Amino acid sequence: MCIRDRSYAFRGVPDECVGLRGIVWRLLLGYLPAETNTWETFVENKRKEYTELNKKYELPELTKKSLSYSEITPRIELAKAIKVDIKRTKQEILFFSMIPHIPLENSIKQRELIEDEKYDFVYDSTETHRLAISRLLHVFANANDSLGYVQGMNEVASVIYYCFYNDSSEALRIYTESDTYFCFCHLMAELKDLYFKERERIATGLKGKVERVINVLKRVEPEYWMYLESIKADMLLLTMRWIMLMFAQDLSLAGIVRLWDSVLGDWERFLFLDYFIVAIFVEVKEKTYGVQFYELSRLLNETPQSINLQTLLKNAGNMLAKDLSKDCLLYTSDAADDMQCVDLGGRRIIKKKKKK
């Protein structure tokens, strides 16, 4: 099967195919060109481009007196904010604090900030995966100053970085940092409206996305939605993190990667995510009647980790298949049981048979 086929990713890239997911994600995020014979030159050129960006936005050493303290302060504050978030990103996973076995492609030492009496910071050049992610976020924020850096971007970038470093060929692994940067840029170009308050009510804004989830829930569970309305459940508060971070804080890392296979492989980007969120509401439905809002919130937050991921994927896929059944039949979980290469909840279009 062609790796550019979205349905292949949607059903879940097989873990045993080492190095495949990294390529598939690069393709789905619009980074790698379709012509495979150009990849080697392409990624090398992009690495050079990233290196130049890093040089441009590198924090200058104050000892060189290249900038006054007042001039460099905004860059310091940005780097501090990123550092704080990066230090608490997936702390339970040792990988991010490790020194890469293969030296990262960028030789520039974008210094990690720590406290100092004179300038409130000094530099530490320990090269870890965490520092690489911090560096690429610093470049992104400076190169995209209209958006800048927003808390939570660290979680999204860390998932892409983890996938590229651990599920890429040896030849591609050395480009992990630069490839993560450009793929993160592509993904943020699709998600940027979520981060602007003035755009929150448009279809791609935060409230617009929440409304999409509500509309699915109304169709799938109209009575339960009426109940949620009756208790004035704040759907924005309940779903905001899931929508903005695509569950990057709410599943195991392996679970996030599997979910993102489907999210990135979806024909209508992020549509499946709406149904996955609704699947969580459906899962907790019976437990939430009569509870207070804080208890509802707790149950919803616990569900992604406490329920088998395949169950949620299957239920979300079945709901989506049912909603789209007017136009096509989709590969649902019952049919998928007979095919080893297809994850439950996978989706493939099957043409309807014409009646004679």
Side-chain angles (χ1 to χ4, degrees):
M1 180 181 292
C2 176
I3 59 173
R4 291 192 294 272
D5 185 353
R6 285 180 174 273
S7 64
Y8 187 74
F10 190 94
R11 295 195 293 268
V13 179
D15 292 328
E16 59 270 21
C17 298
V18 179
L20 183 58
R21 180 176 278 113
I23 293 175
V24 171
W25 281 24
R26 285 171 170 91
L27 287 165
L28 292 174
L29 286 166
Y31 173 60
L32 281 178
E35 300 77 16
T36 58
N37 63 333
T38 66
W39 287 357
E40 185 177 351
T41 303
F42 178 82
V43 295
E44 182 59 37
N45 288 338
K46 297 304 280 188
R47 177 173 71 167
K48 292 175 181 176
E49 182 182 340
Y50 175 70
T51 300
E52 289 305 310
L53 284 170
N54 213 327
K55 286 180 181 178
K56 180 179 179 180
Y57 297 117
E58 182 186 20
L59 285 173
E61 295 184 46
L62 291 187
T63 54
K64 294 179 180 178
K65 305 294 183 182
S66 56
L67 289 176
S68 68
Y69 186 72
S70 61
E71 288 175 311
I72 198 175
T73 296
R75 291 191 186 184
I76 296 172
E77 294 306 315
L78 169 64
K80 281 185 175 181
I82 293 173
K83 178 201 168 183
V84 168
D85 288 346
I86 286 295
K87 287 190 74 171
R88 60 190 180 201
T89 299
K90 297 177 173 48
Q91 292 179 323
E92 74 282 5
I93 299 173
L94 181 61
F95 166 80
F96 293 102
S97 298
M98 293 173 62
I99 298 173
H101 294 298
I102 298 176
L104 291 174
E105 67 274 21
N106 199 322
S107 61
I108 302 167
K109 297 297 182 184
Q110 176 67 54
R111 266 71 73 175
E112 182 181 2
L113 297 177
I114 57 178
E115 293 302 313
D116 174 81
E117 289 183 3
K118 187 174 182 181
Y119 294 115
D120 289 331
F121 72 92
V122 294
Y123 298 108
D124 176 25
S125 59
T126 305
E127 188 70 50
T128 64
H129 294 299
R130 243 178 246 288
L131 182 58
I133 300 168
S134 176
R135 184 163 49 227
L136 69 90
L137 287 172
H138 183 83
V139 173
F140 174 84
N142 281 283
N144 299 272
D145 56 359
S146 63
L147 177 57
Y149 172 75
V150 180
Q151 189 178 54
M153 288 181 176
N154 53 307
E155 299 287 348
V156 176
S158 69
V159 175
I160 300 174
Y161 182 95
Y162 177 86
C163 173
F164 286 0
Y165 190 87
N166 290 286
D167 205 345
S168 293
S169 65
E170 292 295 324
L172 272 179
R173 184 177 289 177
I174 62 172
Y175 300 104
T176 295
E177 187 177 336
S178 55
D179 283 2
T180 299
Y181 169 75
F182 287 108
C183 285
F184 180 75
C185 288
H186 280 255
L187 185 57
M188 284 299 108
E190 297 184 57
L191 296 174
K192 64 176 184 280
D193 289 340
L194 294 174
Y195 297 93
F196 290 101
K197 186 170 180 59
E198 60 270 22
R199 301 180 192 174
E200 64 181 11
R201 294 192 178 277
I202 66 175
T204 52
L206 183 56
K207 289 186 177 179
K209 295 262 190 174
V210 172
E211 193 61 34
R212 281 190 4 174
V213 172
I214 291 173
N215 289 336
V216 174
L217 187 56
K218 283 179 180 178
R219 290 196 302 272
V220 174
E221 290 285 348
E223 291 185 8
Y224 185 49
W225 168 246
M226 290 175 64
Y227 168 73
L228 292 175
E229 272 197 311
S230 71
I231 63 171
K232 295 181 170 53
D234 188 336
M235 291 294 288
L236 177 64
L237 187 61
L238 292 172
T239 63
M240 177 172 63
R241 188 175 72 238
W242 293 343
I243 292 170
M244 295 184 74
L245 305 185
M246 301 187 296
F247 289 86
Q249 282 186 327
D250 297 276
L251 292 168
S252 67
L253 198 45
I256 298 164
V257 168
R258 171 58 192 92
L259 173 62
W260 282 28
D261 283 347
S262 293
V263 173
L264 297 179
D266 196 6
W267 281 266
E268 296 183 47
R269 186 84 94 207
F270 312 122
L271 177 63
F272 181 76
L273 187 64
D274 299 342
Y275 285 82
F276 188 82
I277 291 172
V278 170
I280 294 173
F281 276 90
V282 173
E283 194 66 37
V284 303
K285 178 180 69 171
E286 298 302 328
K287 300 176 184 177
T288 57
Y289 283 114
V291 303
Q292 298 294 323
F293 178 77
Y294 75 89
E295 182 67 10
L296 169 64
S297 178
R298 183 187 67 80
L299 288 167
L300 286 168
N301 287 328
E302 289 178 354
T303 298
Q305 290 276 14
S306 61
I307 301 297
N308 183 276
L309 178 63
Q310 288 297 94
T311 299
L312 292 173
L313 290 170
K314 180 180 80 171
N315 293 343
N318 287 341
M319 286 187 291
L320 180 55
K322 185 177 179 181
D323 263 8
L324 298 179
S325 61
K326 292 180 181 179
D327 303 314
C328 62
L329 298 176
L330 299 177
Y331 211 71
T332 58
S333 58
D334 293 336
D337 288 340
D338 295 328
M339 293 187 66
Q340 295 180 353
C341 64
V342 179
D343 274 13
L344 297 179
R347 171 183 173 197
R348 185 179 73 178
I349 295 176
I350 303 173
K351 293 180 181 178
K352 289 183 179 180
K353 292 182 179 179
K354 293 182 180 180
K355 293 182 179 180
K356 294 183 179 179

